[in-house]
Amino acid sequence: MTPVSVAPTGDYLTTGEVADFIRSTTQHVRQLISSGRLAAIDIAKSGDGRPRFRIAKTELDRFLLEAAVAPTLSAEEAA
């Protein structure tokens, strides 16, 4: 029996690569992961110190779509 993978599919990025892409810091990317806003996998051995996160490109795309802000219409435009 083959186990079903729960990891997202696609190319994987490091927290540094994601930070560069969104013009932020690796600490901010780790905060996004810790808060659950950005899904990631930890490829570090358990109990081996600092986690080594990898983020699927498809997950980054999802995060960016959900974070997009739509322009608001003025009262004149809405009428």
Side-chain angles (χ1 to χ4, degrees):
M1 178 176 184
T2 304
V4 176
S5 174
V6 295
T9 58
D11 296 329
Y12 288 89
L13 305 169
T14 65
T15 54
E17 291 169 329
V18 171
D20 288 344
F21 187 79
I22 64 173
R23 306 233 196 258
S24 187
T25 64
T26 56
Q27 181 180 1
H28 181 239
V29 173
R30 285 189 208 99
Q31 288 171 343
L32 292 171
I33 293 167
S34 295
S35 71
R37 292 186 58 205
L38 181 63
I41 59 171
D42 183 359
I43 63 168
K45 294 180 182 177
S46 61
D48 193 22
R50 187 176 184 171
R52 295 189 319 171
F53 293 119
R54 295 298 181 267
I55 300 96
K57 176 71 170 94
T58 54
E59 173 56 23
L60 178 58
D61 292 341
R62 181 209 57 80
F63 168 77
L64 293 173
L65 281 174
E66 287 183 6
V69 177
T72 57
L73 298 176
S74 68
E76 292 175 0
E77 293 172 320

